[in-house]
Amino acid sequence: MRHNVLAAASLVLLANTALTLCSQAGCPSYTEYSSVAHGPFSAGKYRIPSMRPPRRCRTFVSAAVERVVEDVTAAIADPDWKHLFGNTFGNTLDTTVAWHDDGSNGGSGSGNSTKERQAPYTFLITGDITAQWIRDSTNQMMPYIAYAADDEALARLVLGLINMQAEELAAYPYGNAFQPPARSGLTPSRNGIGVDVRVTPAYDSSVVFEAKFEIDSFASFFQLGNRYWAATGDAAFAESETWQTAVAAILAVVRQQQQPTFGADNRPNRPAVTYARKTWTATETQFVGGGGNPAKRTGMVRTLFRPSDDATVLPFLVPANAFLAAELRGLGEMLGTLGAAHADAAREATALGAEIRRGVMQHGTAQHPTLGRVLAYETDGYGSALLMDDANGPSLLALPLLGFIGADDPLYLRTREMVLSADHNPWFFVGSAATGVGSPHTGVARVWPMAVAMRALTSANRTEVAECLDQLKATTAGLGLMHESVNAASPADYTRSWFAWCNSLVGQLVVDALARFPGII
């Protein structure tokens, strides 16, 4: 549902769309702030502006992250990238922490126990939409988790997001985006395109912002906890009753959505989750009355929507299943360290992850006419396969970064060749200003900077990484931030001036690129 200017007329977001950066007087809406270049400007070719808000207007300040910004900026020679890194790496903390209760005053958590009330909670908006997407918020926080062990306040912020996501998914595991909790004092938003919608199971619109069933939300929730545990050694959040309820609900839904369309008697099973909407946009509703196209049992998990929030064509979204398999394995590893009380859940997560992985390898590939066997984007178990990739993660391009497959695996290399070719991937575009993977979400001939960043993050070739960095620097439309998409022929034509997920990813790329290729920028 993340909107773009091409469909802006169909989107009405009320209440907090002009969210101020903080409660202090004189702090502007970042929606407006991000649309205008601010000085001082870099001395480089692109005169990159300074887009971090004044310190008093930032929504969260981490001493550890500020040290990273200083250290990395000092290591960058390119004057444009000096500015651009600061703008992007800090953007999530600077602008999107809409509400954070660190628990120091007794908290305002959802549980009845003292322990629950003292837990931190964090509500992280995606940028110009006042709602929390499970996937987006995890990706926005990802670059900072490595520094949580050195910054207690940052660790509490990450823990707060883990707890908030757990509360949301425990309440409604089929949702992809959620309203701020009542105790935050934030005004819930109205989803202007969430009208004329028929959804099962039913949901409470004061809690759920959007009810598009996307299994990558499950994987993102697990990833957040898994990465936090790996960075800090702290898995105490797994003792929370709310977190355990969310995990149990997710595992039950995963098992449910592994079931085929037709039972043993060849009669159709009634779909447990549906999404149907009256719309002119085909990607905003699902086939067969909202339940999706038929699927056989493969071990993979059906989903109704992609990480772009566009409807799937075939029910098994391969990169989302691969992501889920990897994070279920990680969940099993973490729970396995917590003693006998978590042993059953650890075994279930591990077994389920292995089953999904087998399904991907057996039923998530297809024979390409010239490249050989590749990973498909979507399949159905009947032999149908959709050969493409989408810029949004999880994507086929991102699978090594997601821990599913090695970047040097022949299957991945063939798949990568398919993805990064306009001859083989209908959503790969080559233009005079930008080249890369796009998405049906924004239409043809539009490249997503996040896909350019992902190409670099999954490449071992210094030249390829440098070319990606050069393209990202050249396509900010003079605003010094990453956009959702840019016109391949004219980067001044972009969608979304404030897109925190992509800003975080590009900041992560710069740290990674400098570590692997010193002096690259």
Side-chain angles (χ1 to χ4, degrees):
M1 200 287 304
R2 292 191 303 275
H3 73 286
N4 57 79
V5 294
L6 303 176
S10 69
L11 180 66
V12 181
L13 292 171
L14 304 179
N16 282 331
T17 47
L19 184 75
T20 55
L21 301 177
C22 71
S23 59
Q24 296 199 40
C27 290
S29 155
Y30 199 74
T31 303
E32 299 169 359
Y33 193 90
S34 64
S35 301
V36 179
H38 302 270
F41 296 84
S42 70
K45 173 182 178 180
Y46 296 101
R47 298 190 73 246
I48 300 295
S50 300
M51 300 303 288
R52 298 191 73 181
R55 189 178 179 91
R56 68 184 180 87
C57 293
R58 296 174 190 172
T59 56
F60 188 88
V61 176
S62 161
V65 170
E66 291 303 317
R67 285 194 297 271
V68 173
V69 172
E70 291 175 8
D71 292 346
V72 173
T73 300
I76 296 173
D78 185 309
D80 287 329
W81 267 112
K82 280 181 177 287
H83 274 223
L84 192 52
F85 174 71
N87 292 346
T88 56
F89 191 75
N91 187 253
T92 284
L93 299 186
D94 288 351
T95 67
T96 69
V97 184
W99 174 69
H100 174 55
D101 179 352
D102 67 5
S104 61
N105 295 315
S108 54
S110 63
N112 295 320
S113 69
T114 301
K115 182 176 181 180
E116 287 281 359
R117 287 196 300 271
Q118 292 178 342
Y121 286 85
T122 303
F123 190 81
L124 205 65
I125 61 174
T126 187
D128 53 6
I129 303 172
T130 310
Q132 178 170 291
W133 267 255
I134 300 294
R135 170 191 54 255
D136 291 44
S137 59
T138 290
N139 281 284
Q140 287 167 243
M141 195 67 77
M142 200 56 58
Y144 311 126
I145 295 177
Y147 314 108
D150 301 320
D151 187 335
E152 182 180 358
L154 180 62
R156 298 291 285 177
L157 185 76
V158 180
L159 277 172
L161 184 59
I162 293 171
N163 292 333
M164 191 75 259
Q165 289 186 357
E167 181 178 307
E168 292 163 346
L169 290 168
Y172 189 77
Y174 300 95
N176 62 317
F178 293 83
Q179 299 279 15
R183 62 188 184 279
S184 70
L186 299 173
T187 305
S189 299
R190 176 176 174 265
N191 184 349
I193 69 169
V195 296
D196 293 327
V197 173
R198 185 175 69 251
V199 174
T200 56
Y203 66 95
D204 181 351
S205 62
S206 69
V207 175
V208 178
F209 180 81
E210 190 167 63
K212 289 179 173 176
F213 176 57
E214 302 168 355
I215 62 168
D216 65 274
S217 293
F218 297 163
S220 297
F221 170 61
F222 293 147
Q223 184 188 44
L224 183 65
N226 291 343
R227 296 299 183 277
Y228 177 79
W229 168 67
T232 66
D234 176 18
F237 61 86
E239 305 297 341
S240 158
E241 182 179 349
T242 303
W243 186 88
Q244 293 175 11
T245 299
V247 171
I250 289 170
L251 297 183
V253 172
V254 167
R255 290 291 190 197
Q256 173 195 87
Q257 294 305 310
Q258 287 181 309
Q259 300 307 309
T261 301
F262 299 97
D265 58 359
N266 214 32
R267 293 178 181 235
N269 295 316
R270 185 172 183 176
V273 54
T274 65
Y275 187 102
R277 176 178 168 230
K278 292 181 179 179
T279 176
W280 291 104
T281 306
T283 55
E284 283 295 321
T285 189
Q286 252 301 348
F287 297 90
V288 196
N293 279 317
K296 280 190 172 182
R297 183 175 180 88
T298 65
M300 287 191 286
V301 185
R302 293 185 295 174
T303 189
L304 296 183
F305 287 88
R306 301 169 175 172
S308 61
D309 297 333
D310 293 337
T312 54
V313 176
L314 302 176
F316 297 126
L317 181 59
V318 173
N321 272 274
F323 184 24
L324 183 57
E327 293 306 329
L328 282 167
R329 182 182 67 238
L331 177 65
E333 292 173 1
M334 181 188 72
L335 292 176
T337 69
L338 301 182
H342 297 275
D344 288 345
R347 282 191 293 270
E348 182 180 6
T350 301
L352 196 50
E355 183 180 349
I356 296 170
R357 181 180 180 84
R358 286 193 298 272
V360 170
M361 300 308 291
Q362 294 173 8
H363 301 281
T365 67
Q367 189 68 23
H368 190 278
T370 60
L371 300 176
R373 188 150 295 277
V374 297
L375 286 158
Y377 190 67
E378 292 170 359
T379 65
D380 61 3
Y382 287 95
S384 300
L386 183 57
L387 298 184
M388 59 164 281
D389 201 14
D390 188 289
N392 287 264
S395 62
L396 294 175
L397 188 61
L399 290 183
L401 195 66
L402 298 177
F404 181 79
I405 194 170
D408 58 352
D409 188 294
L411 176 62
Y412 174 72
L413 291 175
R414 292 191 297 271
T415 303
R416 182 183 179 90
E417 184 177 354
M418 175 190 74
V419 168
L420 298 177
S421 168
D423 289 331
H424 303 311
N425 178 8
W427 296 99
F428 184 86
F429 306 114
V430 178
S432 57
T435 294
V437 184
S439 171
H441 196 67
T442 47
V444 298
R446 304 191 72 86
V447 173
W448 285 50
M450 72 161 54
V452 178
M454 189 57 66
R455 179 176 186 173
L457 281 163
T458 54
S459 174
N461 184 299
R462 182 187 179 107
T463 299
E464 183 177 24
V465 174
E467 289 173 351
C468 290
L469 287 164
D470 285 346
Q471 180 173 308
L472 290 168
K473 179 178 65 174
T475 52
T476 75
L479 294 176
L481 293 166
M482 294 298 116
H483 305 305
E484 177 189 55
S485 73
V486 298
N487 186 314
S490 175
D493 175 14
Y494 64 87
T495 60
R496 298 186 69 179
S497 62
W498 180 21
F499 189 29
W501 174 6
C502 190
N503 285 318
S504 285
L505 186 66
V506 169
Q508 180 181 346
L509 166 61
V510 171
V511 174
D512 172 82
L514 286 170
R516 292 192 291 142
F517 307 109
I520 194 168
I521 53 176

